[in-house]
Amino acid sequence: MIAIDYIETETAILELREDYLYIAFKKDVIVELEHVIANKEAREKIQQGKKMLVLGDIRKIWHISKAAQDYLASKEVTNLNIAMAILTSSLMTVLLANFFIKFKKPATPTKMFNNEEKAIKWLLSFEH
């Protein structure tokens, strides 16, 4: 199988970095269930069956639907993760991430950060 390290979808850019998968949502996107499904399919192509550390950058996102949040927290998606750090910046993205972590309760360790270096350091603490 050919190794893929970068995929762009309608709502996100997925990039395989040295130690983790970076998923950055595009500016002002409204994320619906079909977008999350497309992003999961892109992840599966990049990850090739391996669980990975994930850095999810939602700093530019505008909105994510309840159905999309539910799917993101499902075992179908979290089974792709070892752990996930979520990068936030604005009050809105902090509220989105906080709600997701507290109420959707993802099945793998998930934590919110506003500093990329700290997020990566936390993620790398899960490496064996």
Side-chain angles (χ1 to χ4, degrees):
M1 190 178 262
I2 298 171
I4 299 171
D5 61 5
Y6 181 92
I7 296 177
E8 186 169 342
T9 67
E10 188 179 340
T11 57
I13 293 168
L14 296 85
E15 180 184 349
L16 185 60
R17 295 191 175 169
E18 193 171 321
D19 300 310
Y20 60 92
L21 178 63
Y22 177 70
I23 302 171
F25 283 91
K26 295 177 180 177
K27 185 171 175 48
D28 296 333
V29 294
I30 296 173
V31 182
E32 300 291 348
L33 178 59
E34 64 266 20
H35 302 125
V36 178
I37 291 170
N39 292 340
K40 179 186 174 273
E41 290 168 358
R43 285 186 65 180
E44 289 170 336
K45 288 177 186 168
I46 291 174
Q47 292 182 226
Q48 300 181 7
K50 294 181 225 147
K51 285 186 164 205
M52 293 192 144
L53 300 169
V54 179
L55 179 59
D57 186 344
I58 67 167
R59 292 179 289 190
K60 296 178 183 175
I61 204 169
W62 178 249
H63 176 74
I64 183 163
S65 72
K66 180 187 180 314
Q69 289 181 45
D70 290 345
Y71 186 70
L72 279 171
S74 73
K75 287 205 184 308
E76 192 173 343
V77 175
T78 59
N79 281 344
L80 298 171
N81 303 345
I82 296 169
M84 175 180 245
I86 301 173
L87 273 177
T88 63
S89 58
S90 68
L91 177 59
M92 189 185 73
T93 60
V94 167
L95 292 173
L96 274 172
N98 219 2
F99 182 82
F100 178 74
I101 293 166
K102 286 190 172 157
F103 296 103
K104 301 301 178 181
K105 299 188 186 327
T108 52
T110 305
K111 190 171 178 182
M112 175 178 50
F113 294 87
N114 61 9
N115 178 292
E116 190 168 344
E117 287 176 15
K118 288 179 181 175
I120 293 167
K121 184 177 180 182
W122 179 80
L123 274 179
L124 296 180
S125 74
F126 289 91
E127 281 191 323
H128 306 312

